[in-house]
Amino acid sequence: MPCRRVGKYTICIDERPSIIGYAAVVGKKEGEGPLCRDFDTINEDTTFGEKTWEKSESRLLKDAISRAIDKSKIAASQIDLIFAGDLLNQCISTTYGLRDIGIPLYGLYGACSTMAESISLAAVACGCGFANSCVAATSSHFCSAERQFRLPLEYGGQRPPTAQWTVTGAGAVVIAPTGEGPYITHITPGKIIDLGIKDANNMGAAMAPAAADTLSVFFTDTNTAPSDYDLIMSGDLGYSGAELTRELVQRNGFDLGPNYMDAGMLIFDQKGQDVHAGGSGCGCSASVLCSYVLNRMRASIFKKVVFVGTGALMSPTSIQQGETIPSIAHLVVLES
Amino acid sequence: MPCRRVGKYTICIDERPSIIGYAAVVGKKEGEGPLCRDFDTINEDTTFGEKTWEKSESRLLKDAISRAIDKSKIAASQIDLIFAGDLLNQCISTTYGLRDIGIPLYGLYGACSTMAESISLAAVACGCGFANSCVAATSSHFCSAERQFRLPLEYGGQRPPTAQWTVTGAGAVVIAPTGEGPYITHITPGKIIDLGIKDANNMGAAMAPAAADTLSVFFTDTNTAPSDYDLIMSGDLGYSGAELTRELVQRNGFDLGPNYMDAGMLIFDQKGQDVHAGGSGCGCSASVLCSYVLNRMRASIFKKVVFVGTGALMSPTSIQQGETIPSIAHLVVLES
């Protein structure tokens, strides 16, 4: 069998499918941050030439996928399958963005864990003979997310210190059964964890227990330690969520050490860009993975990377009904 | 490799994973329809004892999954993975329904194609060594869907003849690498198709081209004819969508014949229950598959079944922005 269970939850993909192309497309504010040199495209016009924010986000996702396919040097007509999703109601940035692409699609909903979920399923598909090439992708847009999840932009509401800034960005990878790497070697699917956080302006705290659970499960299952990896990147917990995750993982006996970082901390200059607790949104970890991380893996600066995508699984309706925020974290291991 | 490509898009799963448990839980109106004897549970109280319709739907999904696991005779703690999703914004009936279950979850968004999508991915996972047991499940609720997609119930708006009635129901299957069947032998993932339908009260017409495309691709890929199958069931196109699908598939050279039926036509008595164009919603095809279809496969009345799940991928926001309705259809073959 191409997949093999290691411990209770982790899967080793012995076939080691490879990332053969990747791209990150972002907006103006992201392009002004510390990762500006890593992105494929920075768009000064965050409308992307479209009339609504939802259509802008669709365009953004489509651009990232097209660029990743171009860079993989295989024709779009040879892509067998796409795994993608986003934060919008009924995942419309994905469905409208990919309306004309003519490639089979399995739509996903994992909130900000979508990039890890899509890579996991695409890697399994390429590892087991299901597909010869898959795309895994996701996106978010500050303006479509604000008006859907929080308040209309025109309202100008104040943000508490724990609030994160939704990234306008998309990331896409093309995965194939063989290639020059980075390779996807392990995946750990996450369970829903809900420790009772109700504050939709403190998603980091809501998601930290899920991130800590999946990371602890992974280290236990594989009998490895955080120090065995050059980078452990969560996304998107921001500053306060990453600190909590470090604490919770420590309680389980693992010290995440200096190689632990969150995508929401990497993408913006916290003080200079006034983003409070850092970046968030599906497009945050996706665009950081598909630029900063994969560029450094290709350059052999990082050789073994743990990427854990974290999603807050509430909706404005559930928050209005007084519900707490359930969260989930999916993990993938990349090796060059 | 456990999966093998047949033709351009279809996958043959040589390992033939088996359905080892299944359950369908529905509401009062569904229980008054022609399939009343096939369902596991009919709830007279469609609130399911909860204070909001969204919470009712969560309860419904959780009940169907619990019953399917009970019937599979394996412990819930032995289930490796759940693939599930629903129609609500951010899939909250799934995420809140499965909050306490403690089993890893990959969340999906495929609108009414979710049951076919979740079975496809669960079958691949069980076929390739990823999981020893998976759940595939979905749900819909008339009251949560009406207020989210259309109008508040209290408004009492009139429905045109092409409108379908969202089923209050959930279906769940447990899949394992081996078992007594029915077995999942082939899957065909669908492409998004959009022929320009804008009327959200005529989803059957919007989805028919996607259903016809996936069915035609499947018959071509496998070099089989509709008459090779005891039942070809789409869901959920309703009466007008099913008629259109039959016409479109005929244009591609395949006569769907007398064994073609839509789940939305089976679940209600069209005239007696005043449902206009038939049933719809993720829970329609899921509950019909997990009752009527699988019961008859276990009894060897149906030996080879094609199930094609069809999803309309719009949102109220995209409709308000004047957009057309993109659709998708995923297909699975079940053999006893």
Side-chain angles (χ1 to χ4, degrees), chain B residues 204 207-209 211-212 215 234 237 240-250 256 260:
Chain B
M207 294 189 284
L215 283 165
S234 57
L237 297 164
S240 53
E243 200 180 308
L244 276 168
T245 298
R246 190 183 284 281
E247 263 183 60
L248 292 168
V249 173
Q250 186 81 57
L256 286 177
Y260 171 59

Side-chain angles (χ1 to χ4, degrees), chain A residues 5-66:
Chain A
R5 195 158 280 263
V6 179
K8 188 159 168 54
Y9 294 108
T10 301
I11 304 300
C12 174
I13 311 177
D14 288 322
E15 301 291 323
R16 297 167 66 94
S18 175
I19 291 173
I20 60 166
Y22 60 92
V25 176
V26 298
K28 184 169 180 284
K29 187 179 180 89
E30 293 69 25
E32 290 163 355
L35 305 187
C36 56
R37 291 188 189 172
D38 278 295
F39 300 122
D40 290 80
T41 316
I42 296 163
N43 291 277
E44 289 295 311
D45 172 12
T46 48
T47 70
F48 296 83
E50 300 287 346
K51 285 187 179 164
T52 72
W53 296 123
E54 291 75 19
K55 292 182 188 186
S56 308
E57 190 181 332
S58 286
R59 173 63 72 93
L60 177 64
L61 180 70
K62 194 179 177 181
D63 276 4
I65 291 175
S66 299

Side-chain angles (χ1 to χ4, degrees), chain A residues 122-152:
Chain A
V124 169
C126 287
C128 78
F130 185 170
N132 287 314
S133 54
C134 281
V135 166
T138 191
S139 63
S140 57
H141 194 299
F142 178 77
C143 301
S144 59
E146 281 298 303
R147 80 165 166 192
Q148 180 182 281
F149 284 103
R150 296 179 192 92
L151 294 160

Side-chain angles (χ1 to χ4, degrees), chain A residues 5 11 52 54 87 89-90 95-96 99 105 107 109 117 130 148 190 194 313 318 321 323-324 330, chain B residues 3 5 11 52 54 87 89-90 95-96 99 105 107 109 117 130 148 190 194 313 318 321 323-324 330:
Chain A
R5 195 158 280 263
I11 304 300
T52 72
E54 291 75 19
L87 286 170
N89 297 344
Q90 289 72 54
T95 56
Y96 284 87
R99 175 158 54 166
L105 167 77
Y109 186 76
E117 181 181 356
F130 185 170
Q148 180 182 281
D194 185 339
L313 302 173
S318 65
Q321 293 179 5
E323 274 292 354
T324 54
H330 299 301
Chain B
C3 296
R5 196 158 279 264
I11 304 299
T52 72
E54 290 75 19
L87 287 169
N89 297 345
Q90 289 73 52
T95 58
Y96 284 87
R99 175 159 52 169
L105 167 77
Y109 186 77
E117 181 181 355
F130 184 169
Q148 179 181 282
D194 185 339
L313 302 173
S318 66
Q321 292 179 6
E323 274 293 353
T324 55
H330 300 300

Side-chain angles (χ1 to χ4, degrees), chain A residues 192, chain B residues 54 57-58 61 65 82-88 90-99 105-108 114 137-139:
Chain A
I192 297 177
Chain B
E54 290 75 19
E57 191 181 330
S58 286
L61 180 70
I65 291 176
I82 299 177
F83 291 93
D86 59 88
L87 287 169
L88 297 185
Q90 289 73 52
C91 297
I92 50 170
S93 83
T94 300
T95 58
Y96 284 87
L98 302 182
R99 175 159 52 169
L105 167 77
Y106 283 131
L108 307 180
T114 303
T138 191
S139 63

Side-chain angles (χ1 to χ4, degrees), chain B residues 152-235:
Chain B
L153 292 177
E154 295 78 357
Y155 182 81
Q158 278 206 320
R159 304 159 67 82
T162 53
Q164 292 170 251
W165 188 279
T166 304
V167 162
T168 299
V173 297
V174 182
I175 298 176
T178 55
E180 295 176 3
Y183 305 99
I184 297 129
T185 60
H186 295 77
I187 60 178
T188 308
K191 303 182 285 291
I192 297 179
I193 310 275
D194 185 339
L195 294 192
I197 300 288
K198 285 190 174 190
D199 181 0
N201 273 313
N202 193 358
M203 307 280 251
M207 294 189 284
D213 183 74
T214 301
L215 283 165
S216 304
V217 160
F218 168 74
F219 293 127
T220 305
D221 280 352
T222 53
N223 199 20
T224 60
S227 57
D228 294 331
Y229 302 91
D230 304 311
L231 173 70
I232 297 162
M233 185 177 84
S234 57

Side-chain angles (χ1 to χ4, degrees), chain B residues 121-145:
Chain B
L121 291 171
V124 169
C126 287
C128 77
F130 184 169
N132 287 314
S133 53
C134 281
V135 166
T138 191
S139 63
S140 57
H141 194 298
F142 177 76
C143 301
S144 60

